[in-house]
Amino acid sequence: MNVFFEESGSFKAGSVLSRQGDAFQVELPGGRRTKVRSKDVLIEFEKPAAAELMERADATAQGIDLEFLWECAPEDEFPFATLGAEYFGTSFGPVERAALVLRMHGSPVYFRRKGRGQYQRAPEEQLKMALASLERKRQQALVQAGYEDELKAGRLPEAFAGKALGLLTKPDKNTIEYKALEAAAAARGISMPRLMLECGGISSPRALHEARFLSEFFPHGTGFAPVTVRALPDDLPEANVQAFSIDDVTTTEIDDAFSVEHLGDGRVRIGVHIAAPALGIERGDAVDAIARTRLSTVYMPGDKITMLPDDVVNVFTLAEGGLRPALSLYVIVNRETQEIVASETRAELVFVKSNLRHNTLDELVTEEALAAGTGEYAHKDDIAVLWPFAQALFEKRQVARAGYGLRREVQRNTDFNFYVDGEHVTITPRRRGSPLDTIVAELAIHANSTWGAFLHDHGVPGIYRTQRAFGAPTGPKRTRMQTSAAPHEGLGVSQYAWSTSPLRRYVDLVNQWQLIACVQHGVMAKLAAPFKPKDADLYAVVQGFDDTYSAYADYQRRMEYFWCLRWLRQENRKHVEASVVKGDLVRLDEIPLLLHVPGLGVHARGTRLLLDVMSLDELTVEASVRLLQVLDAPTVASGTEAEEVEEADEEDEESGKDVVDAADESAESEAEAEAEADGAEEAEDNATPQETDESASADHSTAEPGR
């Protein structure tokens, strides 16, 4: 005897070997044996054989007319045999019975299962809706298949116009366009972005990289809603100075300017004037909401996304030719000793006479020209006063670094500027550590340190950037942001509060609110400041800024890497020269690109190599190179020189862990990045493995309340 039965939601047939009570011992056509309860048995039959029955039942089931079967079925629940007798008539045998079960069970749109062998036909209205849905899905499947065929043939379907970037950034994976793209890419054996690039769905890899970043951090676009800046205070005094700024030619958010007044008796008053948007923006207003959402200006080669709307920037930027609101730090300096005699902070209006640019002055303002007093350029006498003062500030920081167990800062000689015109890029070297760079960096660092102490002395919380050996005095130095004053050992200052870039960093804007409260309210500043001690919202700002600023920097590095690859392709560079940094990491000579060379072997640091450029992939932002020839080995340097070169190269390696070094717009940021990388690298060299492990968890962490 044979049985047709249900097991785990599927139907099978087999030969009965034995029966004990309500259980059958059944052997399936494949030889497997199973125990079947009698309640699961739907049909008992002698002929045909089990395997033949299943084969014939499957074929018969396909020929059953579902619509006619549904019309024949009663409205109430019924056993399948009842409907079978009416549909098949006298020819209703085991094969037809099994076929009927298979057909009804496989057609839930028409028939609903109510138990073992029991069914009920679907209500007419629900059946119509279900059939319409099936037809719609069938039509969609046909459309999807058409899309797939076009994509596999390298053509972009018309329906994909304007949707390509959305399908690759934050797609709706239930749409037929996405399913077709996914299937076509899998059939071609390539990624979906590469397929869209081949089909013309995206104009270039650059467009995809930008779209991915914007979809994550600017999903509603980079534009601004209309905002109104409140009027400046009427009682702002007008400073009796003529200030000037020093910036790159592309800078529009001019945050800082400087002034020099000669006081007699060999003393000068040097002013560091910082744009003061905090005088026109209140915590919680519409402009603050925008700034807090963005947290920083985003920089990338050839473009930027500003933190504040242009209308707001234009009110507060220190553009030449007018009075501008500023928070000013004045220091009285003895010109003979370059010692600071006194300092004062004021909120005021400052007349900005000139906006000087690096591209026109760097070749004129050199150390040699300053020493000889040669050359003609704007604010020559003022720069001549600022230069020795900046050098004195630098030396003072080096003494402090030595007290923390660090060597002198070592600057690389060359930086690079990216100029992008459409899809064409020009990468030009720029001397780093020039007198103008040093002046801007040292005065900004001094202002940030002085104002950090100013906040601390008034008991007003601020946002500080610290670097020290967490966990052990000689352990690796980690950089983090917190709301209490602490040393920044890499910079060689007792405290460091970002305050000099309030137009492009939200942290600086917050600190400026706190500083203005100290200026205006003195000892009562703690009660008047927008952020009070232990304000939970201030900790939230720190955490949000740290995460967002890091993400923006990662994007900047990625785009710099991209444009370096574009330059290699654009200039048709098949071979490039590079120098060994460490291990298999090399630095190209002409552009700021660090690459790993597999199988490079052991070479001394500084060894110059000729590399073969094997492949460049702008879509995945990857490059593949191999060694062609060792050009020359480095010359043997004195102990001090070798140590400095090694330190500078290790700094490159530290700052270039994402393969390309990121640049910021300000000399202050460059100097800070160098000092932080320098301090961290040197401390790690001197740390024991145990100290390194213990302090690893402190890297880039954010201080919490009570820590």
Side-chain angles (χ1 to χ4, degrees), residues 629-679:
Q629 180 183 352
V630 177
L631 297 178
D632 58 63
T635 58
V636 178
S638 66
T640 302
E641 291 174 345
E643 189 176 82
E644 290 181 352
V645 170
E646 179 175 348
E647 184 178 342
D649 283 340
E650 286 180 347
E651 174 197 318
D652 280 350
E653 181 187 1
E654 178 70 20
S655 62
K657 284 183 178 177
D658 290 313
V659 186
V660 67
D661 185 37
D664 205 324
E665 276 209 343
S666 68
E668 168 213 352
S669 297
E670 292 176 353
E672 180 187 333
E674 285 184 349
E676 288 183 353
D678 180 23

Side-chain angles (χ1 to χ4, degrees), residues 497-516:
W498 266 346
S499 309
T500 53
S501 299
L503 293 177
R504 59 186 183 90
R505 281 194 307 236
Y506 188 69
V507 164
D508 300 58
L509 178 60
V510 169
N511 281 338
Q512 192 173 85
W513 277 327
Q514 305 295 86
L515 288 166
I516 290 175

Side-chain angles (χ1 to χ4, degrees), residues 373-388:
T374 58
E376 293 299 329
Y377 45 86
H379 297 277
K380 176 181 177 181
D381 293 339
D382 294 337
I383 292 173
V385 172
L386 295 178
W387 170 234

Side-chain angles (χ1 to χ4, degrees), residues 322 390 403 433 441 449 512 528 545 565 661:
S449 177
Q512 192 173 85
F545 178 84
L565 299 187
D661 185 37

Side-chain angles (χ1 to χ4, degrees), residues 228-233 276-292 308 312 316 506 509-510 512-514 516 520 528-531 537:
T228 302
V229 180
R230 69 186 180 94
L232 296 174
L279 291 171
I281 302 173
E282 288 185 341
R283 179 187 176 189
D285 68 10
V287 181
D288 175 45
I290 292 173
R292 181 154 184 180
L308 295 172
V312 177
F316 297 104
Y506 188 69
L509 178 60
V510 169
Q512 192 173 85
W513 277 327
Q514 305 295 86
I516 290 175
Q520 294 177 341
F531 292 90
D537 198 31

